[in-house]
Amino acid sequence: MSDKKNTTDWQHESNSVVEEERPKLKKPSLYKVVLLNDDYTPMEFVVELLELFFGLTRENATRIMLSIHTEGKGVCGIYTQDVAETKAGIVNQYSRDHQHPLLCEIEPCNDEEE
Ligand code: TYC
């Protein structure tokens, strides 16, 4: 017979419990998808694009389009990096396909404290 009869797998021989390390999980970084103003893209095209690719209602799409028109740029949505990059790429391709100079970029969101 062994001397260790009261020692289970998860105990050291000293009887101290082995604590598992907490998994180090990081929240994914978030990115803003930003639309830039220009003098040529029709307002209606921008509103339709915001409805189509960002799931905005006509009312919210119009509000955001007008704020981009007056402020120079504006945020259409906030996503993880891969989704933000994909959205910006799709918007830029769609604008090129329709011969409009509209540009879409992504910007990192400032990290908030945990
Ligand atoms: N400034 C454009 C115009 O007067 C409209 C516009 C709005 C263009 C937003 C781009 O991201 C944009 N026709």
Side-chain angles (χ1 to χ4, degrees):
M1 274 289 201
S2 154
D3 294 336
K4 299 180 194 162
K5 50 181 176 291
N6 290 325
T7 308
T8 62
D9 283 351
W10 46 271
Q11 286 177 313
H12 286 309
E13 288 185 42
S14 63
N15 268 354
S16 66
V17 175
V18 177
E19 279 189 33
E20 282 197 14
E21 236 181 273
R22 280 209 292 146
K24 292 175 188 109
L25 299 176
K26 270 213 252 155
K27 287 194 202 141
S29 305
L30 295 176
Y31 286 73
K32 300 176 207 171
V33 175
V34 175
L35 216 49
L36 306 184
N37 187 37
D38 66 69
D39 292 337
Y40 306 102
T41 305
M43 290 185 174
E44 180 59 20
F45 181 82
V46 179
V47 171
E48 281 173 6
L49 179 149
L50 288 169
E51 291 179 291
L52 193 57
F53 297 119
F54 297 94
L56 296 173
T57 60
R58 185 124 196 118
E59 197 183 4
N60 284 336
T62 303
R63 192 176 305 143
I64 290 178
M65 181 281 294
L66 286 174
S67 116
I68 299 167
H69 177 70
T70 53
E71 303 295 323
K73 66 178 183 174
V75 179
C76 316
I78 294 179
Y79 307 94
T80 54
Q81 185 170 13
D82 54 342
V83 175
E85 280 169 353
T86 303
K87 291 240 180 215
I90 286 171
V91 166
N92 287 331
Q93 188 59 54
Y94 186 76
S95 302
R96 272 197 298 275
D97 289 348
H98 290 81
Q99 288 81 48
H100 295 308
L102 181 65
L103 285 179
C104 189
E105 297 178 339
I106 72 167
E107 282 178 18
C109 289
N110 295 327
D111 281 341
E112 281 147 36
E113 316 88 57
E114 279 123 69

